Amino acid sequence: MPEPTKKDETPNGQPEEEANTLKKLSIELPNDSVPLPEMGRKDSVWSLGDGQAPEDLDKPIDTPPRSTLLIESPQSASMAVGGDISFVAKVEAKDLLRKPTVKWFKGKWMDLASKTGKHLQLKETFDRQTKIHTFEMHIIKAKENYAGNYRCEVTYKDKFDSCSFDLEVKEAETGSQNIDIRSAFKRSSEGQEDAGELDFSGLLKHREPKQQDDAPDVDVWEILKNARPDQYEKIAFMYGITDLRGLLRRMKKIPKEEKKSEAFAKKLEPAYQVDKGGKIRLVVDLADPTVELKWYKNGQEIRPSPKYIFEHKGTQRIMVINNCSMNDDAAYSVAAGDEKCATELFVKELPVKIVKGIEPVKTTVNERIELECEVSEEGAQVKWMKNGVEVPTGVRSRYRVKSEGTKHFLVIDDASREDTGTYSLMASGGTSEAHVKVDLKPLKIYQDLQDMTVKLGQPLKLHCEIYPGNVPGRWYRNGQLIQPNDRITIIHRNKVHRLEIEASSLHDAGDYTFVPEGYSQSLSAKIHIIDPPRVHLDSLNFPDNMVTIVAGNKLRLEIPISGEPAPRVVWMKGERVILESGHRVRAETYGDQTSLTIDITEREDSGNYKIVLQNEAGEATASVKIKVVDIPDPPEAPLVPVVGGDWCSMTWEPPKYDGGSPILGYFIERKKKQSSRWMRLNFDLIKETSFEPKKMIEGVPYEVRIFAVNAIGVSKPSEPSKAFTPLAVTSEPTMLVVDDVTDTTVTVKWRPPETIGAAGLDGYIVEYCIEGANDWVVSNTELTEKTKYTITGLTPGSKILVRVRAINAAGASPPRTLQHSVLVKEVIEPPKIRVPRHLKQTYTRRVGEAVNLVVPFMGKPRPKVTWLKEGNPIEPTHVSIRNTDCDSIIFIRKAERSHSGKYEMTVQVENHVDTAIIDIQIVDLPGPPQCVTIEDVWGGNVALVWTPPKDNGNSPITGYTIQKADKKTMEWFTCIEHYHRTCITITELVVGNEYFFRMYSENMCGLSEAATQTKKSALIVKEGISPHDTAQHQYHAQPHSFTLPPTGMQMKTHEFNDRDFKEAPKFTQPLINTFAIAGYNATLNCSVRANPRPKVIWMKNKIAILDDPRYRMFSNQGVCTLEIRKPSPYDGGMYTCKAINDLGEAQVDCKLEVKGGFTFYELMQRGVPLHLIDKYMNEHKIVEQEK
C-alpha cells in the first residue's frame, strides 16, 4: 500500500512517516478478501520492507539526517500484471556543485542498479535552463512479484533525502493452500527471460540446486506462524521464497492464535471512535495491579493534565481524554512492564446545524439592518449569501459580519434600496434564509447641525430642526449612543432637538450624529475641543534649566507637555531641526511628554535646545541648555628650545578646548626614543606651561609629552616632541699646524679634540682672517670630516690667521687658532720617487695578463713626470700612462713579451730631478728541449741526455718532465717531474718491453706545449741473451765496448747506493727589512730548502698568523710569500717565517714599517679602540720628532 512521500511534522514534533509506521505495526493485518477501499485507513496496512516489530515500537528509530533535496518525489501507484509504469524523482541543482547520487531500492536492501534489464530501466536527464536533475525508473511488463515497497535515496556530500512509495500489481486469486510453500512462492525459471526481475531471487542465483534437494523437510508455515512480522522477509530469503505478496495474503487468511498476556487481563480495543469535542475512556485490565503503567501517544509518553486524566478502579487502569480535537486522532499504546498493547483513536467531526434561522426584515433607507442566525456549535465556519452570492466582508465593505458564541450577525449600518434581497446563511449541516426589504421615508431638515470649535471648559450646544417634529431621535458621538446625565442634557421640543454639555472636556471632541427614529437620514457635525499647548519645565528640577552631563554617557531628557489637539513638537538646536529618525540624536513625543535622546554625548552636543509646540489653540516655546563636559583636548606637541648635557627646557601651549571645565594642571612624561615605556616626571600637577626635565643620560635621544588635567579627568597625551639628545660641545681641536703653503692656498692639519663626548663629532669648520683684521671668514661651507683642509682663493703675499672649530649636534666648540700668522707663498719641495718594494726587484707577469703599476712620488709644486723604455719614448698605443699630483700609473691591458724591458721614470720640479728604473719581465711557456738521445741501456736502466730548449719563455728553465711509453701500447706515463739536470737514468724498466721517451721543459709559467721524443727505442733485454737475438732492434749498447759472455754465464753488475736527499730546513734567501705605504699591498719573500717538504708558519710579533683575511700566504718550489693587503700602521712590526720538518726547523725575521697612516677620525670610523688610537698617536709623534 502507498506510504507518505513527504515527511510532515505531526503536532508532537515526530515525523509523520514514523508516526504512521507506529500505526502500521499496531493494527492487525487486514483480511486479503476485503477490497482495498474497505480497508479503512491506508496507513493501517503493513508494507513490505517497512516498519518495526510490535515489541520494538518504543525503541528509537535510527534515521539518517535528512535535508530537502527532492523537489518532486515518486508517488505510490497500482497497475495490472503485464503493464508498464514510470516513477520520477526531481532534484534542484542551483546550490549543488556536482550531480547528486541517486539510488533506487526495493524493500530495505535490494539495490535496483544491478537489476536493470528488459523489465527495468533507469534514466537520468538534466535541464540546463531550469537546472533540474530528473531521475526516472521504468518498469516494463510488470509481474505479480514486482509489487512491494520501493525507496528512492538522494545523497550530496553531507546532505541526504529519501522517499518511499508502494507499487501494487493486481493479480488473480491463488489456489488452495495445501501445496509446498517453497515451490508455490519461488521463481518459475532461473535466468533466461526473467533475468533481472524485481524480486528477491536475484540473490539466490548462485545457490546450488542440490542444496535444496538435500535439505531436510522443514514446515515453513509453522516457522512463519511463530515468527514476528518483521522476520517474514528474513525467513522467506532463507527458504528461497520470492513471492512475498502471495505469502502475506495467505498468512492473513490463517487464523491467529492469541497469546495470553501475562501483564494484561484485558487489552485495549483495536480502535476507538469519538465525536469532536467529546470525551473518550481507554480502559485496560491488569493481571498484576502492582505493575507500573505508562501511556503513549504516537510513541511519546503522556503526562497527567486537565486534558488527560488517569483513573484507577481495582485492576482497571483508565485514561480519559477530554474535549477531543482533531489533534487527538492518533495511535495510542500502553506499556505494563515489558508488554505493550496498542489501539487507534478516530475523532469524528459533527456537522453544524441551524438552531435559529434568519428573520425577514422590512425597513427604510438609512436605517441599520442586523440579520441574526444561531447555529449548534460555537466557533463554526459559516457563509453569508445574498441572492446566492457570497457577501463581501472586507475592510471597505459596507457589510459587517460578527459572531457572539453560537450567534452570527450580518450588519448593514446605513441601509439602502440596493440592500433589498434574499439573505441566507450556509453551514455544514443546513441553510437558513430570509428576505430583507428597504423602503424610503421622506424627511425635511430645516436646520442642520453645525461644526463647532470649543475651548476646553466652555459650554457646548448642538441644535437642529427636522420635520416632522414629533419624530424622536438619538444622538451619537463617534458612533456611540449618548445618554443624558448630570453634565449632558438632551432636549426635544417639537421640531427642535438640542444637545447641551455644561463644561466641555477633551472626551467630548468627535463626530456627533443625530439620527431621527425610523429614518435612514441623519444629521452630523464635528466638534473640536482645543487647549493651548504648554511646556512644563518645572518638573526638571535643574537650576536655570541647564543639564550637565559627562561626554560619552547617554542623555535622555523627558519634558511633560499638554495641549489639545495634541501639539506638534519640534526640537531645534540653532537652526537645525532634530528629527525622530536621527541615529545618535533624536527627538520623540509620546502623548503627554516629549523627550530628547542622545545615545553617546559629545562635546559638540553642548548648546541651547529650543522646544516649539503648536496646535490650533496656539503656540508655546521653551529652551533647555545642555552642557557636555569632557576631558580636555591634548595639548600640542611641546617644544624643546634648549638642550644641555643632562637637562633640557620645554614649553607648551594650553589645549584649545578645556572640556568645559578649567584646566587644573599638567602631567609630563618622557621616554627614550628607542623605548616604548613612558616615565612620569611629576606627581603633583604643574600649573605653568614650562618645565625643565633633569637627570637625563647624555647622548641618548629622548621624547617628552604632556597631559592636561581638569575636573573630569586626564586628557589624551599630546604628540611627542621632536626627539632631542642631551649633548655637550666638544673641546677645542688640538695640534693645529700648517701642512702646506702655495701662492694661493694654505693647507692646515690638526688633531681631534681631546674630549668629544656622547654627541660625537660631525666635522670641522675652518676660518681665517687677514692679519690686523677682525673679520673671520668661513672657508668651508660644508663640514669637513678630515683633519686636514686647504684654504683656497688667497691673495699671494698676504698674511692670514687660521682657526678651527669642532662641530657636533650640541654646537661649535671653542676655536683652536694658529699661534703665528701664515705668509701665503709657495715653498719648493724637491721631487722624490717612492718606489714600492715589489717594484725594486724585477716585476714579472705572464703573457696575456694585465699590468697595473702605481708609483707614488712627492714634490711641490706639482712635478712633471716622463717615462722612457730603454731610452726611447713609450708608444701610448701599447702602454697607457696616467699621472696625478702624487703618483703615476702605468697600465698594460694585455701583456706581451715585447713589453719586457727597463722603464725609466723621471720626476722634475723646476731644476730638481729624481729618476727611478722599473724592470718589467713578461714571461711565457718555454719551448721543448732541442734533442733527446738514449745514451746507454743496461739491465732495467736507460740513460738519457738532452740539451736545453732554444726558447726559455723569457724565464729561466726550472725543470723537466720525463715520460715513457711502451711501444706496444704507446701510452705515456710520467717518470719524474721538476727535474733540474740535463741527463737522467730511468730505472726499474720491465724486461722484454721496448720503450720510447719524451721530455717537456718547464719554467715559472708551466710546462712547454710540445715535447721532444727519442728517435730510437730502448729494448730491455734479459740478461744472458746474445746480441744476435737483439739485432733487429734499433738501438744497442754501442757506447760500451764489451763482449757478451758465453751462453749460460752471468754478467757482473755494479751495485750503487741511493743518495740520501733528506735534509733539515735551511733558508737560502732570508727576509729583508721592508718599508710599506699605508693602503698599498705589501709582500714579504724568502726561500727555504728542505726534504721532506717543511711546514711553513708565519708570525707577527711572535704570534702565529691564522685565518686572518688581511694576510695571504703562498709557498711554491721552496719560495715562501706573505702578502699583506692594504696595510695600516698597526700592521707594522717584527715578522717571522718558520719552517719545520722531521729533521729540524729554521726561521728568519724581518721588520716591516708602514709609512703614512690614518687620522684620528678615520681610526674612529674604523672602530679602533681608544687606547690603541692613543698608543698609535704617541708612536707617530715620536717618529716625527726623530725625523
Side-chain angles (χ1 to χ4, degrees):
M1 295 301 290
E3 292 181 4
T5 61
K6 187 177 181 182
K7 300 180 180 179
D8 297 331
E9 292 288 330
T10 56
N12 58 4
Q14 186 178 9
E16 184 177 341
E17 184 177 354
E18 297 182 10
N20 291 338
T21 302
L22 297 175
K23 292 182 182 180
K24 292 174 189 176
L25 300 179
S26 63
I27 301 298
E28 293 292 337
L29 294 174
N31 194 298
D32 190 41
S33 61
V34 181
L36 287 175
E38 299 176 5
M39 290 184 182
R41 296 166 61 88
K42 65 181 181 181
D43 53 1
S44 63
V45 179
W46 187 84
S47 296
L48 178 63
D50 197 4
Q52 293 175 285
E55 59 270 16
D56 298 333
L57 281 174
D58 293 330
K59 294 181 180 179
I61 301 173
D62 295 332
T63 58
R66 298 184 178 181
S67 59
T68 305
L69 291 173
L70 290 168
I71 60 173
E72 182 178 330
S73 305
Q75 304 296 325
S76 302
S78 61
M79 62 182 296
V81 175
D84 298 342
I85 193 170
S86 298
F87 296 94
V88 179
K90 293 185 178 181
V91 179
E92 188 173 12
K94 288 183 178 180
D95 299 330
L96 307 183
L97 300 178
R98 57 179 176 81
K99 185 182 75 173
T101 303
V102 176
K103 292 185 179 180
W104 299 85
F105 295 90
K106 180 179 181 185
K108 289 184 178 179
W109 47 267
M110 181 187 288
D111 189 351
L112 299 182
S114 61
K115 296 295 181 180
T116 55
K118 68 176 183 176
H119 292 285
L120 174 66
Q121 294 181 0
L122 302 179
K123 183 180 178 183
E124 299 179 3
T125 59
F126 177 68
D127 190 343
R128 295 186 179 274
Q129 295 182 352
T130 60
K131 294 186 178 180
I132 293 178
H133 292 279
T134 303
F135 302 91
E136 301 180 18
M137 181 179 72
H138 302 284
I139 298 177
I140 305 170
K141 295 182 182 181
K143 297 186 178 181
E144 296 178 358
N145 55 3
Y146 289 6
N149 176 257
Y150 291 81
R151 187 171 76 258
C152 176
E153 291 186 356
V154 183
T155 56
Y156 175 78
K157 293 185 178 180
D158 56 344
K159 297 182 180 180
F160 173 80
D161 200 358
S162 69
C163 67
S164 300
F165 57 94
D166 289 331
L167 174 63
E168 180 185 4
V169 182
K170 297 180 180 179
E171 58 183 347
E173 286 291 331
T174 56
S176 173
Q177 185 175 337
N178 294 326
I179 60 175
D180 185 7
I181 181 173
R182 287 178 290 181
S183 61
F185 298 106
K186 73 178 182 179
R187 288 193 343 175
S188 59
S189 62
E190 197 71 36
Q192 305 301 330
E193 295 182 358
D194 294 339
E197 294 181 357
L198 308 180
D199 54 20
F200 291 88
S201 62
L203 301 177
L204 305 173
K205 282 184 180 180
H206 305 293
R207 290 182 179 271
E208 299 285 340
K210 59 186 178 181
Q211 290 181 356
Q212 284 191 350
D213 298 338
D214 297 341
D217 295 334
V218 179
D219 190 352
V220 181
W221 287 113
E222 289 299 325
I223 297 174
L224 291 172
K225 289 177 184 179
N226 298 327
R228 299 195 308 271
D230 61 336
Q231 296 179 345
Y232 290 166
E233 186 177 336
K234 181 178 178 181
I235 296 172
F237 175 75
M238 184 181 301
Y239 292 98
I241 300 171
T242 59
D243 188 7
L244 292 180
R245 275 285 189 187
L247 173 65
L248 293 176
R249 289 194 179 95
R250 291 182 179 274
M251 289 293 296
K252 294 173 185 176
K253 297 177 182 179
I254 300 176
K256 296 184 179 179
E257 297 180 2
E258 292 290 341
K259 294 183 180 179
K260 187 174 181 180
S261 173
E262 297 180 0
F264 296 99
K266 181 181 178 182
K267 296 186 177 181
L268 294 171
E269 296 296 332
Y272 293 87
Q273 181 174 332
V274 65
D275 293 336
K276 182 180 178 182
K279 179 171 69 174
I280 187 69
R281 294 163 59 89
L282 304 183
V283 182
V284 295
D285 199 348
L286 298 177
D288 183 5
T290 61
V291 175
E292 183 180 357
L293 207 66
K294 290 184 179 181
W295 293 85
Y296 297 90
K297 175 184 177 182
N298 288 339
Q300 301 291 330
E301 186 177 354
I302 301 174
R303 301 293 182 183
S305 65
K307 185 174 183 64
Y308 301 100
I309 300 175
F310 299 103
E311 299 179 357
H312 294 191
K313 290 185 179 180
T315 60
Q316 289 185 347
R317 299 294 183 266
I318 305 168
M319 181 178 70
V320 180
I321 304 176
N322 294 319
N323 192 18
C324 293
S325 63
M326 297 308 295
N327 291 335
D328 297 321
D329 186 285
Y332 292 84
S333 61
V334 59
D338 296 334
E339 292 194 27
K340 293 183 180 180
C341 62
T343 185
E344 240 185 313
L345 176 61
F346 298 88
V347 180
K348 183 179 180 183
E349 191 170 0
L350 298 179
V352 178
K353 297 180 180 180
I354 304 297
V355 177
K356 181 180 179 182
I358 307 173
E359 296 180 358
V361 175
K362 184 178 181 181
T363 184
T364 58
V365 176
N366 298 329
E367 291 292 334
R368 185 174 183 271
I369 300 175
E370 186 175 286
L371 301 180
E372 178 183 350
C373 181
E374 186 175 356
V375 296
S376 60
E377 184 177 345
E378 184 177 349
Q381 299 293 328
V382 298
K383 286 185 179 180
W384 286 94
M385 313 288 287
K386 177 186 178 183
N387 298 330
V389 180
E390 186 176 359
V391 175
T393 58
V395 177
R396 299 183 179 181
S397 175
R398 55 194 309 273
Y399 298 97
R400 292 190 296 110
V401 176
K402 63 180 181 178
S403 61
E404 296 177 0
T406 59
K407 293 181 180 181
H408 293 263
F409 300 90
L410 177 64
V411 180
I412 306 174
D413 289 329
D414 190 6
S416 63
R417 295 186 64 185
E418 288 78 10
D419 295 330
T420 301
T422 301
Y423 291 81
S424 61
L425 182 138
M426 296 180 61
S428 60
T431 304
S432 174
E433 64 180 23
H435 185 71
V436 174
K437 185 178 181 181
V438 180
D439 295 331
L440 292 174
K441 181 179 180 181
L443 180 65
K444 295 181 180 181
I445 301 174
Y446 294 129
Q447 184 177 351
D448 200 350
L449 294 176
Q450 301 295 325
D451 294 343
M452 299 178 64
T453 299
V454 181
K455 288 188 177 182
L456 183 66
Q458 298 296 321
L460 172 63
K461 294 180 181 181
L462 295 176
H463 175 270
C464 67
E465 292 183 10
I466 62 173
Y467 177 82
N470 58 351
V471 177
R474 295 183 178 181
W475 291 87
Y476 294 89
R477 180 177 61 241
N478 297 330
Q480 299 293 328
L481 181 63
I482 301 175
Q483 299 291 345
N485 53 30
D486 297 339
R487 197 173 62 89
I488 301 174
T489 302
I490 297 176
I491 302 172
H492 177 204
R493 291 178 183 176
N494 200 0
K495 301 177 183 179
V496 178
H497 294 267
R498 296 175 63 185
L499 173 66
E500 296 181 357
I501 300 175
E502 182 179 355
S504 60
S505 65
L506 296 177
H507 299 287
D508 295 328
D511 295 334
Y512 284 79
T513 305
F514 175 73
V515 181
E517 187 175 345
Y519 286 85
S520 59
Q521 291 179 334
S522 63
L523 291 78
S524 62
K526 289 187 177 181
I527 304 300
H528 296 277
I529 306 298
I530 61 176
D531 183 22
R534 289 187 298 274
V535 182
H536 304 279
L537 293 178
D538 299 337
S539 61
L540 293 179
N541 294 327
F542 289 120
D544 300 331
N545 294 332
M546 177 181 287
V547 180
T548 303
I549 187 168
V550 178
N553 293 336
K554 181 177 181 180
L555 172 64
R556 182 175 178 85
L557 185 62
E558 296 181 351
I559 300 175
I561 61 174
S562 62
E564 183 61 34
R568 177 175 174 267
V569 182
V570 177
W571 284 83
M572 301 178 66
K573 181 184 180 184
E575 298 298 328
R576 182 171 61 90
V577 177
I578 300 174
L579 304 177
E580 294 184 2
S581 59
H583 178 65
R584 187 180 64 85
V585 181
R586 59 187 178 275
E588 300 170 322
T589 302
Y590 306 96
D592 59 349
Q593 70 176 12
T594 181
S595 65
L596 174 67
T597 303
I598 305 176
D599 288 336
I600 301 175
T601 54
E602 299 176 355
R603 60 181 62 173
E604 291 79 7
D605 297 327
S606 298
N608 289 326
Y609 289 78
K610 185 179 180 181
I611 311 170
V612 180
L613 277 64
Q614 293 179 343
N615 68 359
E616 297 178 5
E619 179 178 322
T621 60
S623 62
V624 177
K625 186 175 182 181
I626 296 178
K627 182 180 180 182
V628 180
V629 294
D630 196 1
I631 60 176
D633 283 348
E636 294 183 357
L639 301 177
V640 184
V642 182
V643 178
D646 63 346
W647 61 275
C648 72
S649 175
M650 56 183 294
T651 60
W652 63 91
E653 294 295 331
K656 295 181 179 179
Y657 176 68
D658 61 0
S661 180
I663 299 296
L664 301 179
Y666 302 92
F667 285 121
I668 293 92
E669 289 185 351
R670 80 175 179 207
K671 76 174 182 68
K672 297 177 182 177
K673 184 177 180 180
Q674 67 273 18
S675 173
S676 60
R677 185 173 63 89
W678 290 89
M679 181 179 70
R680 179 159 293 182
L681 301 182
N682 64 309
F683 294 96
D684 295 331
L685 290 177
I686 296 177
K687 307 294 183 180
E688 298 81 11
T689 57
S690 61
F691 186 70
E692 288 189 2
K694 297 181 179 180
K695 297 183 179 179
M696 291 185 284
I697 302 174
E698 182 181 0
V700 176
Y702 286 90
E703 292 177 347
V704 291
R705 65 182 183 181
I706 311 297
F707 293 84
V709 182
N710 65 1
I712 307 303
V714 182
S715 71
K716 293 182 179 179
S718 68
E719 290 295 325
S721 66
K722 293 183 179 179
F724 63 93
T725 305
L727 298 172
V729 296
T730 67
S731 62
E732 59 186 15
T734 60
M735 299 180 67
L736 177 62
V737 296
V738 177
D739 185 58
D740 188 17
V741 179
T742 67
D743 290 340
T744 58
T745 63
V746 173
T747 302
V748 293
K749 61 181 180 180
W750 61 91
R751 286 286 186 89
E754 294 180 354
T755 304
I756 294 179
L761 182 62
D762 297 336
Y764 301 91
I765 289 180
V766 180
E767 299 174 316
Y768 69 93
C769 74
I770 304 299
E771 186 179 17
N774 294 326
D775 297 332
W776 289 93
V777 179
V778 178
S779 178
N780 55 327
T781 55
E782 296 182 358
L783 296 180
T784 177
E785 296 179 353
K786 299 179 180 179
T787 57
K788 183 177 181 180
Y789 185 77
T790 301
I791 303 172
T792 60
L794 299 176
T795 304
S798 61
K799 291 185 177 182
I800 62 171
L801 292 175
V802 181
R803 69 182 184 183
V804 180
R805 293 175 182 267
I807 307 297
N808 65 1
S813 70
R816 169 67 69 177
T817 307
L818 287 175
Q819 295 180 356
H820 304 284
S821 61
V822 180
L823 176 62
V824 182
K825 183 178 179 181
E826 186 171 9
V827 179
I828 296 177
E829 180 181 343
K832 183 179 181 181
I833 301 175
R834 303 174 67 95
V835 180
R837 184 181 183 282
H838 67 283
L839 296 180
K840 292 180 180 179
Q841 303 171 359
T842 301
Y843 183 78
T844 305
R845 279 291 182 269
R846 297 183 182 182
V847 172
E849 292 182 346
V851 176
N852 189 11
L853 303 178
V854 180
V855 182
F857 57 82
M858 301 173 61
K860 291 182 182 180
R862 179 175 177 174
K864 179 180 178 182
V865 181
T866 57
W867 285 87
L868 299 175
K869 178 184 177 185
E870 305 293 344
N872 299 319
I874 298 176
E875 288 291 336
T877 57
H878 296 163
V879 179
S880 299
I881 297 175
R882 182 173 61 86
N883 300 321
T884 65
D885 292 342
C886 59
D887 58 23
S888 181
I889 300 174
I890 182 170
F891 176 73
I892 303 174
R893 184 175 301 276
K894 192 172 182 180
E896 299 178 358
R897 292 178 64 176
S898 60
H899 293 143
S900 300
K902 295 184 181 295
Y903 290 78
E904 181 180 358
M905 176 182 176
T906 303
V907 179
Q908 182 177 1
V909 176
E910 294 184 354
N911 297 326
H912 304 276
V913 179
D914 189 14
T915 60
I917 297 177
I918 298 175
D919 187 6
I920 298 178
Q921 182 182 6
I922 307 301
V923 299
D924 198 1
L925 294 174
Q930 294 186 36
C931 179
V932 181
T933 57
I934 298 176
E935 188 74 17
D936 193 5
V937 178
W938 72 96
N941 308 311
V942 174
L944 300 176
V945 179
W946 65 91
T947 57
K950 290 183 179 180
D951 183 11
N952 62 357
N954 204 19
S955 176
I957 299 298
T958 59
Y960 300 92
T961 298
I962 298 95
Q963 294 182 345
K964 66 180 179 180
D966 189 359
K967 184 178 181 180
K968 298 177 183 179
T969 61
M970 290 305 293
E971 293 183 6
W972 294 95
F973 298 94
T974 301
C975 299
I976 190 169
E977 294 178 313
H978 312 306
Y979 189 75
H980 297 280
R981 300 181 181 139
T982 57
C983 61
I984 190 172
T985 300
I986 308 299
T987 61
E988 299 180 359
L989 298 176
V990 179
V991 176
N993 288 357
E994 187 175 357
Y995 292 94
F996 284 96
F997 299 91
R998 69 180 182 184
M999 192 171 303
Y1000 292 90
S1001 57
E1002 181 180 4
N1003 64 3
M1004 63 179 297
C1005 295
L1007 295 176
S1008 61
E1009 294 180 353
T1012 303
Q1013 182 178 335
T1014 57
K1015 296 181 180 181
K1016 297 180 181 180
S1017 63
L1019 176 63
I1020 308 303
V1021 183
K1022 187 175 182 181
E1023 295 180 359
I1025 298 178
S1026 65
H1028 303 285
D1029 297 332
T1030 61
Q1032 69 274 18
H1033 294 286
Q1034 297 178 0
Y1035 183 83
H1036 300 288
Q1038 296 297 332
H1040 300 276
S1041 297
F1042 61 89
T1043 303
L1044 291 175
T1047 304
M1049 297 184 66
Q1050 295 181 353
M1051 182 178 61
K1052 294 182 179 180
T1053 58
H1054 298 282
E1055 293 183 0
F1056 298 95
N1057 295 324
D1058 293 336
R1059 175 178 173 82
D1060 187 5
F1061 291 98
K1062 292 183 178 180
E1063 62 177 324
K1066 180 180 179 182
F1067 282 94
T1068 59
Q1069 177 65 37
L1071 291 174
I1072 301 174
N1073 295 335
T1074 305
F1075 291 91
I1077 304 300
Y1080 296 90
N1081 292 355
T1083 57
L1084 303 178
N1085 299 283
C1086 63
S1087 62
V1088 63
R1089 185 175 69 239
N1091 192 12
R1093 185 175 181 179
K1095 178 181 178 181
V1096 178
I1097 300 175
W1098 286 91
M1099 293 182 291
K1100 176 189 175 183
N1101 298 329
K1102 298 183 181 181
I1103 298 176
I1105 300 173
L1106 300 173
D1107 299 330
D1108 192 333
R1110 295 184 299 118
Y1111 299 93
R1112 289 198 302 174
M1113 291 168 277
F1114 307 95
S1115 178
N1116 184 20
Q1117 298 294 321
V1119 178
C1120 303
T1121 303
L1122 174 66
E1123 181 180 356
I1124 307 171
R1125 301 178 61 186
K1126 296 183 179 180
S1128 66
Y1130 298 103
D1131 294 319
M1134 186 64 68
Y1135 284 82
T1136 303
C1137 181
K1138 188 175 185 181
I1140 305 173
N1141 69 358
D1142 296 338
L1143 301 179
E1145 64 180 40
Q1147 70 178 33
V1148 290
D1149 301 325
C1150 76
K1151 183 178 180 182
L1152 175 65
E1153 182 180 351
V1154 180
K1155 295 188 177 182
F1158 299 99
T1159 63
F1160 183 88
Y1161 178 75
E1162 291 173 340
L1163 296 175
M1164 289 284 290
Q1165 279 190 329
R1166 288 174 172 255
V1168 179
L1170 290 175
H1171 68 281
L1172 294 180
I1173 296 177
D1174 293 338
K1175 181 179 179 181
Y1176 164 70
M1177 290 297 179
N1178 294 332
E1179 292 177 354
H1180 192 64
K1181 186 183 300 183
I1182 294 172
V1183 171
E1184 289 183 351
Q1185 291 176 356
E1186 291 177 354
K1187 289 182 179 180

